[in-house]
């Protein structure tokens, strides 16, 4: 972690499968702080933080451009068990059965079965395999992280996504005190699912090198 005036940045390698810098604080102080971090030899970090702050960094740091906005969503309140349902933590065999879902329906997912940092999976298992899954991935001491939420198309609209997410979020809050996730800002159905279980959203942005 580094500080400059009223800004702070935390560089983390391999976070969600990518090298990232979490940035917060005053924009005027954040600009030189991030500029120096990005200038270090071999640095391939992607800054992220509040959308307004990312806009300033992209405008003021040469070679940096904003990427699509997303929501950071979080809650520190247990949302309760999902009620009578078939949601459970998956064993190793069921996790492997879930792997093809990502090739077909969610290839851009950072979390997949077997990837480093992905701790465990919950899901609803149908007669031919998992129908909806979500992961506990890259969780830290005071914040559990939800990722890799996917429902097979033929099972969508049957109320599977909400109980799976509720199951994982409730477990993460009870274990870590808080649960969070990142979701694309234009993914309206996904945002609605997580708001339904009590997660509040905050508009974030990221930036990446243009060359």
């Amino acid at each position: 972690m580094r500080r400059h005036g009223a800004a702070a940045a935390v560089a983390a390698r391999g976070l969600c499968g990518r090298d990232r810098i979490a940035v917060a604080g005053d924009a005027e102080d954040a600009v030189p702080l991030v500029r120096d971090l990005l200038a270090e030899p071999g640095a391939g970090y992607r800054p992220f933080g509040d959308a307004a702050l990312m806009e300033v960094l992209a405008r003021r740091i040469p070679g940096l451009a904003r990427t699509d906005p997303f929501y950071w969503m979080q809650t520190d309140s247990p949302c309760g068990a999902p009620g009578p349902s078939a949601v459970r933590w998956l064993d190793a065999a069921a996790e492997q059965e879930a792997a093809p879902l990502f090739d077909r329906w969610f290839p851009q997912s950072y979390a997949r079965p077997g990837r480093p940092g992905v701790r465990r999976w919950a899901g609803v298992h149908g007669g031919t395999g998992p129908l909806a899954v979500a992961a506990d991935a890259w969780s830290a001491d005071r914040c559990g992280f939800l990722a890799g939420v996917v429902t097979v198309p033929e099972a969508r609209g049957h109320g599977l996504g909400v109980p799976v997410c509720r199951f994982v979020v409730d477990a993460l809050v009870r274990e870590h005190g808080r649960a969070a996730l990142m979701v694309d800002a234009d993914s309206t159905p996904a945002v609605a699912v997580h708001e339904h279980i009590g997660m509040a959203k905050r508009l974030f942005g990221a930036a990446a090198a243009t060359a």
Side-chain angles (χ1 to χ4, degrees):
M1 179 175 180
R2 296 190 187 179
R3 295 184 179 274
H4 179 76
V10 179
R13 292 199 179 276
L15 182 64
C16 299
R18 301 188 182 187
D19 296 343
R20 297 181 179 274
I21 305 173
V23 188
D26 179 76
E28 291 298 319
D29 291 329
V31 169
L33 178 60
V34 173
R35 185 175 56 220
D36 290 347
L37 281 169
L38 294 176
E40 292 184 356
Y45 296 106
R46 300 182 68 175
F48 76 96
D50 279 319
L53 178 56
M54 290 302 106
E55 182 176 358
V56 173
L57 295 181
R59 189 173 64 245
R60 301 265 305 269
I61 299 176
L64 202 62
R66 283 186 300 160
T67 59
D68 292 336
F70 60 94
Y71 286 120
W72 174 271
M73 302 188 72
Q74 69 176 43
T75 181
D76 58 6
S77 299
C79 49
S85 76
V87 182
R88 60 182 175 83
W89 293 113
L90 303 183
D91 59 23
E95 286 185 13
Q96 289 306 307
E97 288 183 315
L101 302 185
F102 294 90
D103 293 330
R104 295 190 65 188
W105 313 119
F106 197 6
Q108 71 272 30
S109 177
Y110 296 161
R112 291 186 179 218
R115 282 194 175 172
V118 181
R119 179 183 174 196
R120 55 186 174 172
W121 290 87
V124 175
H125 201 280
T128 58
L131 299 176
V133 298
D136 165 3
W138 304 291
S139 293
D141 288 343
R142 290 182 290 177
C143 183
F145 199 73
L146 171 70
V149 181
V150 63
T151 302
V152 300
E154 57 267 29
R156 291 172 187 168
H158 294 282
L160 298 182
V162 169
V164 170
C165 291
R166 183 187 296 275
F167 180 92
V168 177
V169 167
D170 188 69
L172 294 176
V173 171
R174 293 181 187 281
E175 183 172 345
H176 301 280
R178 180 170 53 138
L181 78 150
M182 294 183 291
V183 60
D184 291 338
D186 60 359
S187 185
T188 304
V191 172
V193 165
H194 298 117
E195 287 184 319
H196 181 77
I197 62 176
M199 303 188 82
K201 66 180 185 287
R202 183 175 176 181
L203 188 62
F204 265 34
T210 56

